[in-house]
PDB file of all heavy atoms in Angstrom:
ATOM      1  N   ARG C 266      12.760 -32.281-137.643  1.00  0.00           N
ATOM      2  CA  ARG C 266      13.583 -32.366-138.858  1.00  0.00           C
ATOM      3  C   ARG C 266      14.789 -31.419-138.783  1.00  0.00           C
ATOM      4  O   ARG C 266      15.497 -31.245-139.765  1.00  0.00           O
ATOM      5  CB  ARG C 266      12.743 -32.048-140.100  1.00  0.00           C
ATOM      6  CG  ARG C 266      11.627 -33.062-140.347  1.00  0.00           C
ATOM      7  CD  ARG C 266      11.066 -32.963-141.743  1.00  0.00           C
ATOM      8  NE  ARG C 266      12.014 -33.420-142.748  1.00  0.00           N
ATOM      9  CZ  ARG C 266      11.797 -33.325-144.076  1.00  0.00           C
ATOM     10  NH1 ARG C 266      10.668 -32.810-144.521  1.00  0.00           N
ATOM     11  NH2 ARG C 266      12.706 -33.747-144.929  1.00  0.00           N
ATOM     12  N   GLU C 267      15.001 -30.818-137.599  1.00  0.00           N
ATOM     13  CA  GLU C 267      16.124 -29.888-137.445  1.00  0.00           C
ATOM     14  C   GLU C 267      17.448 -30.578-137.754  1.00  0.00           C
ATOM     15  O   GLU C 267      18.337 -29.997-138.364  1.00  0.00           O
ATOM     16  CB  GLU C 267      16.182 -29.325-136.014  1.00  0.00           C
ATOM     17  CG  GLU C 267      14.919 -28.617-135.556  1.00  0.00           C
ATOM     18  CD  GLU C 267      13.948 -29.531-134.826  1.00  0.00           C
ATOM     19  OE1 GLU C 267      14.001 -30.763-135.037  1.00  0.00           O
ATOM     20  OE2 GLU C 267      13.134 -29.011-134.050  1.00  0.00           O
ATOM     21  N   GLY C 268      17.561 -31.820-137.325  1.00  0.00           N
ATOM     22  CA  GLY C 268      18.802 -32.563-137.518  1.00  0.00           C
ATOM     23  C   GLY C 268      19.112 -32.865-138.963  1.00  0.00           C
ATOM     24  O   GLY C 268      20.270 -33.131-139.313  1.00  0.00           O
ATOM     25  N   GLU C 269      18.113 -32.829-139.833  1.00  0.00           N
ATOM     26  CA  GLU C 269      18.337 -33.087-141.258  1.00  0.00           C
ATOM     27  C   GLU C 269      18.908 -31.868-141.980  1.00  0.00           C
ATOM     28  O   GLU C 269      19.676 -32.003-142.926  1.00  0.00           O
ATOM     29  CB  GLU C 269      17.018 -33.465-141.947  1.00  0.00           C
ATOM     30  CG  GLU C 269      16.440 -34.794-141.556  1.00  0.00           C
ATOM     31  CD  GLU C 269      15.120 -35.007-142.288  1.00  0.00           C
ATOM     32  OE1 GLU C 269      15.118 -34.973-143.538  1.00  0.00           O
ATOM     33  OE2 GLU C 269      14.097 -35.182-141.605  1.00  0.00           O
ATOM     34  N   PHE C 270      18.501 -30.704-141.515  1.00  0.00           N
ATOM     35  CA  PHE C 270      18.866 -29.500-142.270  1.00  0.00           C
ATOM     36  C   PHE C 270      20.353 -29.178-142.177  1.00  0.00           C
ATOM     37  O   PHE C 270      20.988 -28.864-143.185  1.00  0.00           O
ATOM     38  CB  PHE C 270      18.048 -28.284-141.810  1.00  0.00           C
ATOM     39  CG  PHE C 270      18.405 -27.038-142.558  1.00  0.00           C
ATOM     40  CD1 PHE C 270      17.958 -26.840-143.859  1.00  0.00           C
ATOM     41  CD2 PHE C 270      19.212 -26.063-141.990  1.00  0.00           C
ATOM     42  CE1 PHE C 270      18.304 -25.704-144.569  1.00  0.00           C
ATOM     43  CE2 PHE C 270      19.568 -24.925-142.692  1.00  0.00           C
ATOM     44  CZ  PHE C 270      19.108 -24.743-143.989  1.00  0.00           C
ATOM     45  N   ALA C 271      20.920 -29.232-140.980  1.00  0.00           N
ATOM     46  CA  ALA C 271      22.322 -28.812-140.800  1.00  0.00           C
ATOM     47  C   ALA C 271      23.282 -29.581-141.706  1.00  0.00           C
ATOM     48  O   ALA C 271      24.070 -28.955-142.433  1.00  0.00           O
ATOM     49  CB  ALA C 271      22.731 -28.933-139.341  1.00  0.00           C
ATOM     50  N   PRO C 272      23.252 -30.917-141.758  1.00  0.00           N
ATOM     51  CA  PRO C 272      24.178 -31.609-142.663  1.00  0.00           C
ATOM     52  C   PRO C 272      23.858 -31.356-144.140  1.00  0.00           C
ATOM     53  O   PRO C 272      24.775 -31.296-144.974  1.00  0.00           O
ATOM     54  CB  PRO C 272      24.024 -33.084-142.294  1.00  0.00           C
ATOM     55  CG  PRO C 272      22.759 -33.188-141.524  1.00  0.00           C
ATOM     56  CD  PRO C 272      22.529 -31.857-140.886  1.00  0.00           C
ATOM     57  N   ALA C 273      22.589 -31.194-144.459  1.00  0.00           N
ATOM     58  CA  ALA C 273      22.223 -30.914-145.851  1.00  0.00           C
ATOM     59  C   ALA C 273      22.751 -29.544-146.280  1.00  0.00           C
ATOM     60  O   ALA C 273      23.266 -29.370-147.390  1.00  0.00           O
ATOM     61  CB  ALA C 273      20.704 -30.971-146.018  1.00  0.00           C
ATOM     62  N   TYR C 274      22.661 -28.574-145.376  1.00  0.00           N
ATOM     63  CA  TYR C 274      23.165 -27.233-145.672  1.00  0.00           C
ATOM     64  C   TYR C 274      24.688 -27.241-145.784  1.00  0.00           C
ATOM     65  O   TYR C 274      25.269 -26.638-146.680  1.00  0.00           O
ATOM     66  CB  TYR C 274      22.704 -26.249-144.584  1.00  0.00           C
ATOM     67  CG  TYR C 274      23.068 -24.813-144.881  1.00  0.00           C
ATOM     68  CD1 TYR C 274      22.291 -24.048-145.738  1.00  0.00           C
ATOM     69  CD2 TYR C 274      24.203 -24.227-144.316  1.00  0.00           C
ATOM     70  CE1 TYR C 274      22.617 -22.727-146.017  1.00  0.00           C
ATOM     71  CE2 TYR C 274      24.538 -22.918-144.593  1.00  0.00           C
ATOM     72  CZ  TYR C 274      23.746 -22.176-145.444  1.00  0.00           C
ATOM     73  OH  TYR C 274      24.086 -20.879-145.735  1.00  0.00           O
ATOM     74  N   ARG C 275      25.336 -27.964-144.858  1.00  0.00           N
ATOM     75  CA  ARG C 275      26.795 -28.059-144.879  1.00  0.00           C
ATOM     76  C   ARG C 275      27.263 -28.657-146.210  1.00  0.00           C
ATOM     77  O   ARG C 275      28.203 -28.157-146.836  1.00  0.00           O
ATOM     78  CB  ARG C 275      27.267 -28.909-143.699  1.00  0.00           C
ATOM     79  CG  ARG C 275      28.759 -28.825-143.437  1.00  0.00           C
ATOM     80  CD  ARG C 275      29.145 -29.579-142.169  1.00  0.00           C
ATOM     81  NE  ARG C 275      28.624 -28.921-140.979  1.00  0.00           N
ATOM     82  CZ  ARG C 275      27.713 -29.458-140.154  1.00  0.00           C
ATOM     83  NH1 ARG C 275      27.244 -30.656-140.377  1.00  0.00           N
ATOM     84  NH2 ARG C 275      27.299 -28.777-139.106  1.00  0.00           N
ATOM     85  N   ALA C 276      26.600 -29.715-146.676  1.00  0.00           N
ATOM     86  CA  ALA C 276      26.954 -30.348-147.953  1.00  0.00           C
ATOM     87  C   ALA C 276      26.713 -29.396-149.122  1.00  0.00           C
ATOM     88  O   ALA C 276      27.495 -29.366-150.088  1.00  0.00           O
ATOM     89  CB  ALA C 276      26.145 -31.633-148.136  1.00  0.00           C
ATOM     90  N   ALA C 277      25.649 -28.601-149.042  1.00  0.00           N
ATOM     91  CA  ALA C 277      25.349 -27.638-150.104  1.00  0.00           C
ATOM     92  C   ALA C 277      26.426 -26.568-150.197  1.00  0.00           C
ATOM     93  O   ALA C 277      26.842 -26.177-151.288  1.00  0.00           O
ATOM     94  CB  ALA C 277      23.982 -26.998-149.858  1.00  0.00           C
ATOM     95  N   VAL C 278      26.907 -26.106-149.043  1.00  0.00           N
ATOM     96  CA  VAL C 278      27.957 -25.086-149.030  1.00  0.00           C
ATOM     97  C   VAL C 278      29.231 -25.631-149.668  1.00  0.00           C
ATOM     98  O   VAL C 278      29.874 -24.965-150.489  1.00  0.00           O
ATOM     99  CB  VAL C 278      28.227 -24.589-147.591  1.00  0.00           C
ATOM    100  CG1 VAL C 278      29.453 -23.677-147.548  1.00  0.00           C
ATOM    101  CG2 VAL C 278      27.006 -23.856-147.050  1.00  0.00           C
ATOM    102  N   VAL C 279      29.589 -26.857-149.324  1.00  0.00           N
ATOM    103  CA  VAL C 279      30.795 -27.478-149.895  1.00  0.00           C
ATOM    104  C   VAL C 279      30.637 -27.652-151.402  1.00  0.00           C
ATOM    105  O   VAL C 279      31.589 -27.453-152.165  1.00  0.00           O
ATOM    106  CB  VAL C 279      31.084 -28.832-149.206  1.00  0.00           C
ATOM    107  CG1 VAL C 279      32.184 -29.595-149.937  1.00  0.00           C
ATOM    108  CG2 VAL C 279      31.459 -28.607-147.752  1.00  0.00           C
ATOM    109  N   ARG C 280      29.438 -27.985-151.828  1.00  0.00           N
ATOM    110  CA  ARG C 280      29.189 -28.137-153.274  1.00  0.00           C
ATOM    111  C   ARG C 280      29.335 -26.803-154.007  1.00  0.00           C
ATOM    112  O   ARG C 280      29.919 -26.732-155.084  1.00  0.00           O
ATOM    113  CB  ARG C 280      27.786 -28.714-153.489  1.00  0.00           C
ATOM    114  CG  ARG C 280      27.413 -28.887-154.941  1.00  0.00           C
ATOM    115  CD  ARG C 280      26.060 -29.552-155.073  1.00  0.00           C
ATOM    116  NE  ARG C 280      25.560 -29.420-156.431  1.00  0.00           N
ATOM    117  CZ  ARG C 280      24.333 -29.755-156.817  1.00  0.00           C
ATOM    118  NH1 ARG C 280      23.493 -30.288-155.934  1.00  0.00           N
ATOM    119  NH2 ARG C 280      23.941 -29.590-158.061  1.00  0.00           N
ATOM    120  N   LEU C 281      28.809 -25.741-153.421  1.00  0.00           N
ATOM    121  CA  LEU C 281      28.866 -24.421-154.061  1.00  0.00           C
ATOM    122  C   LEU C 281      30.254 -23.785-153.966  1.00  0.00           C
ATOM    123  O   LEU C 281      30.666 -23.050-154.862  1.00  0.00           O
ATOM    124  CB  LEU C 281      27.830 -23.483-153.421  1.00  0.00           C
ATOM    125  CG  LEU C 281      26.361 -23.831-153.665  1.00  0.00           C
ATOM    126  CD1 LEU C 281      25.461 -22.977-152.788  1.00  0.00           C
ATOM    127  CD2 LEU C 281      25.999 -23.650-155.138  1.00  0.00           C
ATOM    128  N   PHE C 282      30.941 -24.048-152.854  1.00  0.00           N
ATOM    129  CA  PHE C 282      32.248 -23.432-152.606  1.00  0.00           C
ATOM    130  C   PHE C 282      33.254 -24.520-152.230  1.00  0.00           C
ATOM    131  O   PHE C 282      33.595 -24.680-151.064  1.00  0.00           O
ATOM    132  CB  PHE C 282      32.146 -22.379-151.486  1.00  0.00           C
ATOM    133  CG  PHE C 282      31.191 -21.265-151.815  1.00  0.00           C
ATOM    134  CD1 PHE C 282      29.864 -21.334-151.417  1.00  0.00           C
ATOM    135  CD2 PHE C 282      31.619 -20.162-152.531  1.00  0.00           C
ATOM    136  CE1 PHE C 282      28.974 -20.308-151.737  1.00  0.00           C
ATOM    137  CE2 PHE C 282      30.738 -19.135-152.852  1.00  0.00           C
ATOM    138  CZ  PHE C 282      29.414 -19.214-152.456  1.00  0.00           C
ATOM    139  N   PRO C 283      33.722 -25.283-153.219  1.00  0.00           N
ATOM    140  CA  PRO C 283      34.588 -26.431-152.921  1.00  0.00           C
ATOM    141  C   PRO C 283      35.927 -26.058-152.305  1.00  0.00           C
ATOM    142  O   PRO C 283      36.507 -26.847-151.569  1.00  0.00           O
ATOM    143  CB  PRO C 283      34.771 -27.114-154.279  1.00  0.00           C
ATOM    144  CG  PRO C 283      34.332 -26.127-155.299  1.00  0.00           C
ATOM    145  CD  PRO C 283      33.391 -25.184-154.637  1.00  0.00           C
ATOM    146  N   THR C 284      36.434 -24.872-152.599  1.00  0.00           N
ATOM    147  CA  THR C 284      37.653 -24.416-151.926  1.00  0.00           C
ATOM    148  C   THR C 284      37.287 -23.211-151.069  1.00  0.00           C
ATOM    149  O   THR C 284      36.609 -22.294-151.529  1.00  0.00           O
ATOM    150  CB  THR C 284      38.743 -24.012-152.942  1.00  0.00           C
ATOM    151  OG1 THR C 284      38.215 -23.010-153.817  1.00  0.00           O
ATOM    152  CG2 THR C 284      39.193 -25.204-153.764  1.00  0.00           C
ATOM    153  N   ILE C 285      37.726 -23.225-149.829  1.00  0.00           N
ATOM    154  CA  ILE C 285      37.290 -22.190-148.883  1.00  0.00           C
ATOM    155  C   ILE C 285      38.025 -20.877-149.076  1.00  0.00           C
ATOM    156  O   ILE C 285      37.446 -19.808-149.020  1.00  0.00           O
ATOM    157  CB  ILE C 285      37.470 -22.686-147.432  1.00  0.00           C
ATOM    158  CG1 ILE C 285      36.606 -23.925-147.191  1.00  0.00           C
ATOM    159  CG2 ILE C 285      37.117 -21.601-146.428  1.00  0.00           C
ATOM    160  CD1 ILE C 285      35.125 -23.709-147.380  1.00  0.00           C
ATOM    161  N   GLU C 286      39.321 -20.922-149.317  1.00  0.00           N
ATOM    162  CA  GLU C 286      40.103 -19.684-149.363  1.00  0.00           C
ATOM    163  C   GLU C 286      40.877 -19.561-150.669  1.00  0.00           C
ATOM    164  O   GLU C 286      41.180 -20.549-151.330  1.00  0.00           O
ATOM    165  CB  GLU C 286      41.090 -19.651-148.194  1.00  0.00           C
ATOM    166  CG  GLU C 286      40.409 -19.560-146.849  1.00  0.00           C
ATOM    167  CD  GLU C 286      41.410 -19.499-145.708  1.00  0.00           C
ATOM    168  OE1 GLU C 286      42.583 -19.181-145.976  1.00  0.00           O
ATOM    169  OE2 GLU C 286      41.023 -19.772-144.563  1.00  0.00           O
ATOM    170  N   GLY C 287      41.185 -18.332-151.002  1.00  0.00           N
ATOM    171  CA  GLY C 287      42.114 -18.057-152.092  1.00  0.00           C
ATOM    172  C   GLY C 287      41.572 -18.227-153.487  1.00  0.00           C
ATOM    173  O   GLY C 287      42.331 -18.310-154.443  1.00  0.00           O
ATOM    174  N   HIS C 288      40.275 -18.281-153.645  1.00  0.00           N
ATOM    175  CA  HIS C 288      39.696 -18.446-154.981  1.00  0.00           C
ATOM    176  C   HIS C 288      39.377 -17.072-155.570  1.00  0.00           C
ATOM    177  O   HIS C 288      38.633 -16.297-154.979  1.00  0.00           O
ATOM    178  CB  HIS C 288      38.433 -19.305-154.909  1.00  0.00           C
ATOM    179  CG  HIS C 288      38.047 -19.901-156.227  1.00  0.00           C
ATOM    180  ND1 HIS C 288      37.679 -19.150-157.308  1.00  0.00           N
ATOM    181  CD2 HIS C 288      37.997 -21.189-156.635  1.00  0.00           C
ATOM    182  CE1 HIS C 288      37.388 -19.940-158.327  1.00  0.00           C
ATOM    183  NE2 HIS C 288      37.579 -21.187-157.941  1.00  0.00           N
ATOM    184  N   ALA C 289      39.923 -16.790-156.732  1.00  0.00           N
ATOM    185  CA  ALA C 289      39.799 -15.450-157.318  1.00  0.00           C
ATOM    186  C   ALA C 289      38.362 -15.091-157.696  1.00  0.00           C
ATOM    187  O   ALA C 289      38.025 -13.917-157.806  1.00  0.00           O
ATOM    188  CB  ALA C 289      40.700 -15.341-158.543  1.00  0.00           C
ATOM    189  N   ASP C 290      37.503 -16.091-157.890  1.00  0.00           N
ATOM    190  CA  ASP C 290      36.127 -15.819-158.316  1.00  0.00           C
ATOM    191  C   ASP C 290      35.171 -15.569-157.155  1.00  0.00           C
ATOM    192  O   ASP C 290      34.016 -15.226-157.383  1.00  0.00           O
ATOM    193  CB  ASP C 290      35.592 -16.992-159.153  1.00  0.00           C
ATOM    194  CG  ASP C 290      36.276 -17.088-160.499  1.00  0.00           C
ATOM    195  OD1 ASP C 290      36.800 -16.056-160.973  1.00  0.00           O
ATOM    196  OD2 ASP C 290      36.300 -18.188-161.078  1.00  0.00           O
ATOM    197  N   TYR C 291      35.623 -15.758-155.922  1.00  0.00           N
ATOM    198  CA  TYR C 291      34.736 -15.572-154.780  1.00  0.00           C
ATOM    199  C   TYR C 291      34.622 -14.088-154.435  1.00  0.00           C
ATOM    200  O   TYR C 291      35.595 -13.344-154.511  1.00  0.00           O
ATOM    201  CB  TYR C 291      35.262 -16.305-153.549  1.00  0.00           C
ATOM    202  CG  TYR C 291      35.144 -17.822-153.610  1.00  0.00           C
ATOM    203  CD1 TYR C 291      35.675 -18.602-152.601  1.00  0.00           C
ATOM    204  CD2 TYR C 291      34.509 -18.463-154.668  1.00  0.00           C
ATOM    205  CE1 TYR C 291      35.587 -19.989-152.642  1.00  0.00           C
ATOM    206  CE2 TYR C 291      34.409 -19.838-154.718  1.00  0.00           C
ATOM    207  CZ  TYR C 291      34.955 -20.608-153.696  1.00  0.00           C
ATOM    208  OH  TYR C 291      34.858 -21.963-153.738  1.00  0.00           O
ATOM    209  N   ALA C 292      33.439 -13.694-154.051  1.00  0.00           N
ATOM    210  CA  ALA C 292      33.240 -12.319-153.575  1.00  0.00           C
ATOM    211  C   ALA C 292      33.884 -12.163-152.197  1.00  0.00           C
ATOM    212  O   ALA C 292      34.079 -13.141-151.474  1.00  0.00           O
ATOM    213  CB  ALA C 292      31.753 -11.997-153.493  1.00  0.00           C
ATOM    214  N   SER C 293      34.202 -10.933-151.830  1.00  0.00           N
ATOM    215  CA  SER C 293      34.805 -10.638-150.521  1.00  0.00           C
ATOM    216  C   SER C 293      33.896  -9.717-149.727  1.00  0.00           C
ATOM    217  O   SER C 293      33.039  -9.033-150.283  1.00  0.00           O
ATOM    218  CB  SER C 293      36.157  -9.947-150.711  1.00  0.00           C
ATOM    219  OG  SER C 293      37.056 -10.773-151.407  1.00  0.00           O
ATOM    220  N   ILE C 294      34.110  -9.683-148.423  1.00  0.00           N
ATOM    221  CA  ILE C 294      33.409  -8.720-147.579  1.00  0.00           C
ATOM    222  C   ILE C 294      33.932  -7.332-147.949  1.00  0.00           C
ATOM    223  O   ILE C 294      35.121  -7.138-148.154  1.00  0.00           O
ATOM    224  CB  ILE C 294      33.639  -9.029-146.092  1.00  0.00           C
ATOM    225  CG1 ILE C 294      33.120 -10.440-145.761  1.00  0.00           C
ATOM    226  CG2 ILE C 294      32.960  -7.996-145.204  1.00  0.00           C
ATOM    227  CD1 ILE C 294      31.640 -10.656-146.019  1.00  0.00           C
ATOM    228  N   ILE C 295      33.043  -6.363-148.024  1.00  0.00           N
ATOM    229  CA  ILE C 295      33.334  -5.074-148.657  1.00  0.00           C
ATOM    230  C   ILE C 295      34.468  -4.286-147.993  1.00  0.00           C
ATOM    231  O   ILE C 295      35.294  -3.700-148.675  1.00  0.00           O
ATOM    232  CB  ILE C 295      32.036  -4.219-148.740  1.00  0.00           C
ATOM    233  CG1 ILE C 295      32.263  -2.928-149.520  1.00  0.00           C
ATOM    234  CG2 ILE C 295      31.466  -3.935-147.362  1.00  0.00           C
ATOM    235  CD1 ILE C 295      32.450  -3.113-150.985  1.00  0.00           C
TER     236      ILE C 295
END
Side-chain angles (χ1 to χ4, degrees):
R266 296 196 70 186
E267 303 92 336
E269 291 178 58
F270 180 76
Y274 186 81
R275 193 174 292 115
V278 172
V279 171
R280 179 176 166 189
L281 293 170
F282 300 93
T284 56
I285 298 300
E286 294 181 18
H288 200 296
D290 291 336
Y291 288 175
S293 299
I294 300 300
I295 186 71

